Amino acid sequence: MTKKQRAVPSGRLNRFSKLGSLATRVAGSVLTNGAAQLIKGERPAVKDLLLTPRNIARIADQLASMRGAAMKVGQLMSMDAGDILPPALTEILARLRSEADSMPRAQLHQAMAQALGPDWRDRFAFFDDEPVAAASIGQVHEAITHDGDKLALKIQYPGVRESIDSDVDNVATLLSMTGLIPKGIDFAPLLDEAKRQLHAEADYLTEASMMQRYHQVVAGDERFSMPKGFAEFTSANLLAMGFMNSEPIELLYEADQQTRNDAAAALFELFFKETFEHGLVQTDPNFANYRYCPVTRKIVLLDFGATREYQKEFVDLYRELLSGVFHHQRDRVLSAALDIGLMSRELDDFYQNCIVDMCTEACEPVCYDGVYDFGRTDLMRRLHNKGMALSQDKAFWHVPKADSIFLHRKLGGVFLLASHLRAKINLRQIAEAYVYPN
């Protein structure tokens, strides 16, 4: 069940006006609160006036109500730069990762009619008007065909695709204006990539194709299951899949240790197989994309809109970096990190060595000779603290290439899930066959 229904604003002017009114309300609160503090003889910082709890809530609520790119762009910005973004933006992003509001029924029916025609309901023996899930680009409904097939229909919110470019630009302007993006960081390449990625995710015909291709990645692996597509009901705005009976994978937190270990091991191995064997990676680490079927004891894989292809040259560089860490060869790690774009070549030796140290530390679970306890590690905290320390110097600030960001995003998500499950696995043993063959 979703929290509440709220119409998705469509049309560029309508969506822009939503952001404009938000900026006005934020600015108004700054003037009001600033005047009150000045009367008391205090000299408040503008940033403190902007980032009040009420303004943070206003920004998060407005972006969530718009869905689409307005809801996702901040998350893309945070994928790599989280260590240098202020805590206030981190709080906004956390709110945006929760489930979105659903469309009102009238808007839902209009979207279905646009996708399948005015007689769309006659094409199903059953259609549930209540969504089973709602996210940033669309919401999911259960349906049954006249042949008895149970479907999950992902229905895109109206106007999402047409508003992507303007939404990304407008939200970036808003975040910059309110001081939520540090000055001096060039986010333009990442914003361009965000637009490209969101256009791909908003094309459900592309996602259907990626889902079909991804079947090859898990073919013959009895640990996983994934839905098949139903082309006769699928269009650019509607994705029809087989309904997968399952539960949130986070519920495995209460399972026995072996079940939790097996699930984490399977997902890490899937990541290595995606990257180093197929060059086809589902890069969205949202826990909702992994579910679990207690009857079959299989992990259910969902949502292939963020699936990316990786070229052999890029994959080979990552294998070189990891192999360099594994064999304690800093020169190989440095060379690979520069070629991948994890750091700027203009950085002085001190910062380059710091990044090599962080790459080495980040690979700790993969290089550890034995069973690694994800439930007790403080690796993420250590990396965060080091990143925060380095980010105090603007010379360090750098936005890596999009391919790296999306790959790290996926791997980081699997790490966090393994930590949530308190898994204990020999990750080095899993990785060796894919990363360290020599």
Side-chain angles (χ1 to χ4, degrees), residues 314-333:
F314 179 89
V315 172
D316 287 345
L317 283 172
Y318 255 94
R319 182 180 282 111
E320 174 70 7
L321 186 149
L322 292 172
S323 187
V325 172
F326 183 76
H327 293 291
H328 308 290
Q329 297 170 326
R330 292 179 63 86
D331 56 334
R332 292 176 66 188
V333 178

Side-chain angles (χ1 to χ4, degrees), residues 44-261:
V46 174
K47 187 174 183 180
D48 293 335
L49 294 173
L50 283 166
L51 302 180
T52 63
R54 176 170 290 186
N55 281 343
I56 289 171
R58 282 174 172 148
I59 294 171
D61 184 66
Q62 186 67 78
L63 298 185
S65 74
M66 294 176 70
R67 277 81 115 197
M71 188 172 175
K72 294 199 77 168
V73 66
Q75 298 177 36
L76 291 172
M77 289 181 184
S78 73
M79 286 187 296
D80 182 79
D83 288 339
I84 57 176
L85 293 177
L89 182 52
T90 301
E91 182 178 343
I92 290 173
L93 298 176
R95 296 187 186 201
L96 295 182
R97 281 191 287 270
S98 62
E99 192 173 68
D101 301 328
S102 62
M103 290 183 281
R105 192 161 295 184
Q107 196 173 38
L108 163 68
H109 293 171
Q110 182 181 13
M112 287 295 295
Q114 289 176 346
L116 294 177
D119 61 344
W120 64 270
R121 197 179 281 275
D122 294 336
R123 300 184 64 178
F124 304 102
F126 169 79
F127 178 88
D128 192 347
D129 283 315
E130 185 68 26
V132 296
S136 58
I137 290 179
Q139 60 191 49
V140 180
H141 289 255
E142 182 182 334
I144 299 175
T145 70
H146 292 291
D147 293 329
D149 292 313
K150 189 175 181 181
L151 304 183
L153 301 177
K154 184 158 70 169
I155 304 159
Q156 189 168 124
Y157 299 128
V160 162
R161 184 184 300 106
E162 295 78 11
S163 65
I164 286 173
D165 290 353
S166 56
D167 269 4
V168 170
D169 291 337
N170 292 337
V171 173
T173 299
L174 173 68
L175 296 178
S176 178
M177 180 184 69
T178 53
L180 288 170
I181 297 180
K183 296 184 182 299
I185 302 181
D186 182 15
F187 275 100
L190 186 55
L191 293 176
D192 289 340
E193 181 57 32
K195 294 175 184 177
R196 193 202 70 78
Q197 180 65 44
L198 287 166
H199 275 292
E201 290 189 41
D203 184 349
Y204 287 170
L205 290 173
T206 297
E207 180 173 354
S209 174
M210 283 296 187
M211 182 170 65
Q212 185 176 2
R213 289 181 57 188
Y214 199 90
H215 274 279
Q216 301 171 9
V217 178
V218 296
D221 194 330
E222 294 300 318
R223 297 171 297 178
F224 298 101
S225 62
M226 56 180 290
K228 72 172 185 175
F230 284 77
E232 62 268 37
F233 298 106
T234 295
S235 67
N237 298 328
L238 177 65
L239 179 60
M241 305 163 283
F243 193 94
M244 308 292 289
N245 290 314
S246 57
E247 59 187 27
I249 197 167
E250 301 98 298
L251 297 183
L252 283 182
Y253 180 87
E254 301 296 338
D256 62 87
Q257 185 69 56
Q258 190 59 52
T259 298
R260 289 182 276 122
N261 293 348

Side-chain angles (χ1 to χ4, degrees), residues 334-376:
L334 175 60
S335 178
L338 287 169
D339 290 341
I340 291 170
L342 294 180
M343 65 178 102
S344 168
R345 294 184 182 274
E346 282 70 46
L347 275 180
D348 61 35
D349 290 346
F350 171 78
Y351 285 117
Q352 288 191 6
N353 279 306
C354 286
I355 292 176
V356 169
D357 289 340
M358 290 186 69
C359 286
T360 300
E361 191 163 6
C363 293
E364 176 183 284
V366 185
C367 296
Y368 184 76
D369 190 8
V371 174
Y372 192 84
D373 190 340
F374 284 88
R376 297 177 63 87

